[in-house]
Amino acid sequence: MTPEEKYELFERKINGELSAKEEGRLLLIINNDKAIADEFRIYKEWSSYLGSNLNLMQEQSDLENNLKEIGNAFFTQKSGEKKAKIIKIPSWGYAVAASIAIILGVYIFTKSKPTYNDFVSIPELSIIERGVENEIINNAEEAFNSKNYDKAGKYLSELLKNDETNSVYLFYYGITLIEQNKSKEASQIFATLQKGSSAYKYRAIWFEALNQLKQDNKDQCIELLKTVPKEAEDYTQAQKLLKKL
Amino acid sequence: MGKSKTHADQKYIEALLNNDTIVLKEIYEKFAPKVVGYIKKNNGDESRAQDIIQETLIAIYKLVKEKGLLLTCPFDAYFFLLCKRKWLNELKKASLKEVTINEEVVSINDESIQHADETLIFEARNELFTEVFEQLGKTCKELLKAIFTIKSMEAVASKLGQSYGYVRKKKSLCIGQLTKMIQSSPKYNRIKNLL
């Protein structure tokens, strides 16, 4: 049996299209040949995986966003409860707190506040492949590298329509969103990358931290910076920013 | 597991399938504190706990969506066990050698262990399959995406300007190729006996 015939037999078995005679033949092959049995098992797993996963994307991302919101609300409320407990201090404590606040205020005032522009370093986009002519790719690269992020964003989103899990497109698209102050959309893109296993997994944490910094969400920025692992290329910068915050 | 009766906590599984905000909130309120406590005691913090909880819920959702899951034990035990194992895996990955695990006495029955094992193996399989699918050639990848999202082979054939017979044959060849790729993956050999 050629591989072509074998896979066609598997496919027809999964779709319930085999005649009794063919069923018998497949069963005999599977019982006598462990390698083919193994192959059939994996083939079936693939059919099940593809049938489920290629359809889930939108639904899964809706669930993820909802869980993120519920989780954020739950954890913010939790830390709010804790803070309320800490406030119970004796009356003389207020004087001490006030003095500390003044000292801290002076300190913070004299210390410059780190900004997004101090830390951001936007990498160049390089997606044009030699010998491959693709106008959208060319336009995306040109617009991005000439800092025309609005245009670059549109081209990248066009590319993502046909290749929605492409981590390069996603990462650079996320940057164009930060640059256009579309913070929420950018967060969604970086969250997707952080969950994946691409080369942009850790860079996405750093850029999401910068996204939060740009929106003045200091606490979220700090939390994100703490999760940049040592092996990440942005680790040193992340630590530097963490110290300043 | 055929003998066991479905547990009343199946409602939490359904909530994931239906993206039911009210019941999902209940999951956080009822079951998250124990997970947060465990992770904080074992070298983690709240933000890591939030991630682990979210990842665990998504892993359960994917399993249920593809294979179905009838919960025969309390959700609490199953969910906690999954979060705990996920967190221990994270610690192992980060190779924090100084980590000491503070174990808690939790009543865990065989069924919750079985459910948790199933979910983790399924997740490992999913990660491997996703990785391998990405390595597949462009033509096959696009064809399979079209077939499994459009669902009607005739519609795919007309969209691609190909005959029905061609699309059908190509589909089985592409899945065959994926099958070969999985068989030659070293990661597969590590989980193959568990699948």
Side-chain angles (χ1 to χ4, degrees):
Chain A
M1 192 166 39
T2 67
E4 285 186 19
E5 285 166 348
K6 181 175 60 187
Y7 296 137
E8 209 173 332
L9 198 62
F10 288 173
E11 185 62 33
R12 290 181 49 228
K13 163 72 185 163
I14 290 168
N15 295 330
E17 295 166 356
L18 292 187
S19 66
K21 203 176 154 194
E22 286 170 320
E23 282 270 359
R25 188 176 158 226
L26 181 63
L27 199 69
L28 197 70
I29 297 173
I30 286 175
N31 286 339
N32 291 328
D33 192 330
K34 216 175 151 265
I36 293 191
D38 195 34
E39 226 178 331
F40 179 54
R41 201 163 51 100
I42 303 174
Y43 191 101
K44 259 199 303 188
E45 282 291 312
W46 267 116
S47 277
S48 158
Y49 168 89
L50 293 168
S52 173
N53 282 268
L54 294 181
N55 277 312
L56 278 184
M57 292 190 182
Q58 188 54 48
E59 198 183 303
Q60 190 185 320
S61 117
D62 290 345
L63 176 67
E64 272 171 359
N65 291 337
N66 197 16
L67 288 177
K68 188 100 202 147
E69 260 179 47
I70 297 172
N72 283 343
F74 174 80
F75 282 93
T76 324
Q77 182 197 348
K78 211 166 159 275
S79 55
E81 279 166 13
K82 247 184 255 158
K83 271 181 206 142
K85 278 181 208 156
I86 297 163
I87 288 167
K88 287 179 191 163
I89 50 172
S91 55
W92 54 263
Y94 290 105
V96 176
S99 318
I100 294 170
I102 292 168
I103 297 165
L104 216 59
V106 172
Y107 174 72
I108 289 168
F109 188 73
T110 49
K111 194 184 161 200
S112 67
K113 197 174 140 195
T115 66
Y116 170 76
N117 288 328
D118 295 340
F119 279 85
V120 72
S121 160
I122 296 180
E124 242 188 34
L125 175 60
S126 170
I127 45 176
I128 296 176
E129 286 174 52
R130 203 183 297 166
V132 181
E133 200 50 53
N134 182 326
E135 207 188 329
I136 310 177
I137 289 186
N138 292 350
N139 291 340
E141 189 175 304
E142 200 187 307
F144 189 94
N145 293 337
S146 51
K147 300 191 191 311
N148 191 343
Y149 296 114
D150 171 26
K151 252 190 178 175
K154 281 178 191 147
Y155 290 125
L156 285 165
S157 118
E158 197 59 37
L159 289 169
L160 279 164
K161 276 185 195 159
N162 292 320
D163 197 357
E164 57 202 355
T165 53
N166 186 312
S167 54
V168 182
Y169 299 161
L170 280 170
F171 176 68
Y172 284 88
Y173 180 53
I175 296 179
T176 66
L177 292 170
I178 303 184
E179 285 293 322
Q180 294 173 84
N181 284 321
K182 291 178 180 167
S183 162
K184 273 196 182 161
E185 289 100 315
S187 296
Q188 280 180 10
I189 299 287
F190 291 125
T192 310
L193 284 166
Q194 281 173 48
K195 283 194 196 88
S197 51
S198 72
Y200 294 99
K201 187 180 168 69
Y202 298 143
R203 295 226 76 189
I205 309 179
W206 168 241
F207 270 87
E208 174 56 11
L210 290 175
N211 182 24
Q212 295 302 331
L213 181 67
K214 196 174 183 200
Q215 302 306 318
D216 261 337
N217 297 330
K218 201 175 133 191
D219 291 345
Q220 271 120 305
C221 178
I222 291 174
E223 285 310 314
L224 283 158
L225 291 172
K226 283 184 194 162
T227 64
V228 176
K230 272 190 182 156
E231 62 267 34
E233 64 172 285
D234 301 302
Y235 179 76
T236 321
Q237 279 297 88
Q239 289 304 309
K240 215 163 134 189
L241 176 55
L242 202 53
K243 263 186 204 156
K244 291 215 173 191
L245 286 170
Chain B
M1 258 184 295
K3 280 180 244 158
S4 309
K5 225 178 132 193
T6 309
H7 197 278
D9 283 354
Q10 182 72 20
K11 69 168 183 178
Y12 298 117
I13 304 290
E14 303 297 326
L16 286 166
L17 279 181
N18 303 325
N19 198 357
D20 178 343
T21 306
I22 295 173
V23 184
L24 291 176
K25 275 187 185 163
E26 197 184 315
I27 294 183
Y28 275 86
E29 276 151 21
K30 275 193 175 169
F31 310 121
K34 193 154 114 186
V35 178
V36 177
Y38 181 82
I39 290 180
K40 278 168 89 173
K41 259 191 223 163
N42 290 290
N43 303 67
D45 55 24
E46 280 193 0
S47 113
R48 305 299 298 275
Q50 187 177 350
D51 291 344
I52 290 286
I53 289 171
Q54 168 130 357
E55 282 169 25
T56 303
L57 291 173
I58 293 291
I60 299 175
Y61 160 78
K62 283 189 168 178
L63 172 76
V64 181
K65 196 79 194 173
E66 189 181 330
K67 307 265 177 185
L69 170 69
L70 289 178
L71 204 62
T72 51
C73 64
F75 185 77
D76 185 17
Y78 165 57
F79 178 66
F80 179 71
L81 197 57
L82 262 182
C83 290
K84 184 179 140 182
R85 295 222 183 135
K86 260 183 170 292
W87 178 241
L88 294 180
N89 280 344
E90 288 265 308
L91 291 179
K92 254 193 234 163
K93 262 192 236 161
S95 64
L96 297 171
K97 288 188 186 102
E98 70 274 21
V99 166
T100 49
I101 304 299
N102 295 305
E103 279 298 346
E104 263 176 55
V105 183
V106 201
S107 71
I108 285 170
N109 60 26
D110 285 350
E111 280 173 355
S112 55
I113 295 175
Q114 199 179 334
H115 280 320
D117 282 346
E118 257 172 41
T119 316
L120 287 170
I121 293 162
F122 177 78
E123 212 189 357
R125 171 273 220 181
N126 256 10
E127 272 171 25
L128 174 63
F129 275 39
T130 309
E131 209 178 292
V132 169
F133 185 73
E134 280 311 307
Q135 292 159 13
L136 188 68
K138 205 177 157 197
T139 322
C140 266
K141 215 194 274 180
E142 277 172 7
L143 182 96
L144 291 175
K145 275 187 183 170
I147 289 172
F148 284 97
T149 44
I150 300 176
K151 295 218 164 147
S152 141
M153 294 271 262
E154 284 88 352
V156 175
S158 83
K159 192 188 165 201
L160 300 176
Q162 299 284 358
S163 71
Y164 173 80
Y166 169 85
V167 171
R168 204 187 143 93
K169 191 165 197 164
K170 192 82 185 143
K171 176 191 175 191
S172 66
L173 284 177
C174 291
I175 303 182
Q177 202 179 327
L178 285 167
T179 304
K180 284 268 168 244
M181 285 160 83
I182 283 286
Q183 281 182 310
S184 58
S185 148
K187 270 192 199 163
Y188 169 69
N189 288 318
R190 265 178 265 144
I191 58 168
K192 88 187 235 193
N193 298 326
L194 305 168
L195 284 170

